[in-house]
């Protein structure tokens, strides 16, 4: 039930057969105040960023809105295969054109190189502090974690 509540508060109408997973249709695809707030923050910060979300629909919204704003971002979740994820991570790290990555915190494994990352945002979280902490611990950050701006919406 908590997952259903979180889906609804994230503007997602859960599918009946989807009791535990992160799918569903947008309640109102044209309006999502949480993504609006994320976009305001992203547009006010410089450097590379990652947006983590529990729900596929939010990943889709964030990527769409970033593209509309002319901000290049790659996808990093279960919707893309391992090879594409690897290519996307490499592009994030090395390409000047790619400013962001949007994905699911559980998609990445330990030891990934996210050293280009300067800012991290969470659109939605799992109900597990361990999952969130792992997403924070996955990075070989050039600066201290305390210096990195983070937002939760």
């Amino acid at each position: 039930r908590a997952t259903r509540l979180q889906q609804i508060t994230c503007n997602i109408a859960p599918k009946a057969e989807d009791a535990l997973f992160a799918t569903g249709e947008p309640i109102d695809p044209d309006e999502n105040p949480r993504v609006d707030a994320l976009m305001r923050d992203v547009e006010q910060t410089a450097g590379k960023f990652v947006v983590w979300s529990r729900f596929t629909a939010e990943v889709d919204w964030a990527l769409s809105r970033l593209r509309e704003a002319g901000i290049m971002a790659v996808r990093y979740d279960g919707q893309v295969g391992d090879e594409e994820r690897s290519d996307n991570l490499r592009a994030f790290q090395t390409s000047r054109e790619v400013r962001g990555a949007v994905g699911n915190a559980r998609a990445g494994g330990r030891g990934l190189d996210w050293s280009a990352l300067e800012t991290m945002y969470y659109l939605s979280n799992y109900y597990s502090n361990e999952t969130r902490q792992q997403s924070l611990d996955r990075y070989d950050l050039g600066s201290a974690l305390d210096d990195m701006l983070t937002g939760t919406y």
Side-chain angles (χ1 to χ4, degrees):
R1 291 183 182 164
T3 297
R4 295 267 193 219
L5 178 61
Q6 187 180 26
Q7 286 174 312
I8 292 166
T9 60
C10 290
N11 199 28
I12 300 167
K15 293 180 180 179
E17 69 276 4
D18 183 24
L20 298 174
F21 299 101
T23 63
E25 299 299 321
I27 294 171
D28 183 350
D30 296 324
E31 205 171 305
N32 190 322
R34 293 166 59 255
V35 176
D36 294 343
L38 168 71
M39 290 304 299
R40 282 191 301 273
D41 286 350
V42 166
E43 290 170 349
Q44 292 177 9
T45 58
K48 299 215 178 199
F49 63 89
V50 171
V51 177
W52 294 125
S53 174
R54 178 178 181 181
F55 301 112
T56 302
E58 285 186 320
V59 173
D60 295 339
W61 284 325
L63 284 168
S64 175
R65 292 286 303 278
L66 288 164
R67 288 180 183 132
E68 287 173 13
I71 300 170
M72 182 116 166
V74 295
R75 185 174 199 122
Y76 200 89
D77 67 356
Q79 299 297 307
V80 295
D82 290 341
E83 187 174 332
E84 186 176 353
R85 262 190 290 199
S86 179
D87 291 344
N88 287 350
L89 179 58
R90 189 175 312 104
F92 175 82
Q93 286 294 104
T94 62
S95 173
R96 291 181 185 205
E97 291 82 30
V98 176
R99 187 166 160 230
V102 182
N104 183 295
R106 287 188 173 174
R110 291 177 189 258
L112 294 176
D113 179 11
W114 291 91
S115 57
L117 172 66
E118 294 178 39
T119 308
M120 191 169 4
Y121 302 100
Y122 290 88
L123 268 176
S124 53
N125 284 296
Y126 287 88
Y127 288 111
S128 164
N129 187 48
E130 180 180 353
T131 299
R132 173 139 179 169
Q133 192 58 47
Q134 283 177 349
S135 71
L136 293 169
D137 291 344
R138 284 187 181 131
Y139 315 107
D140 176 21
L141 298 170
S143 62
L145 188 60
D146 291 341
D147 295 335
M148 182 179 26
L149 299 172
T150 60
T152 302
Y153 305 94

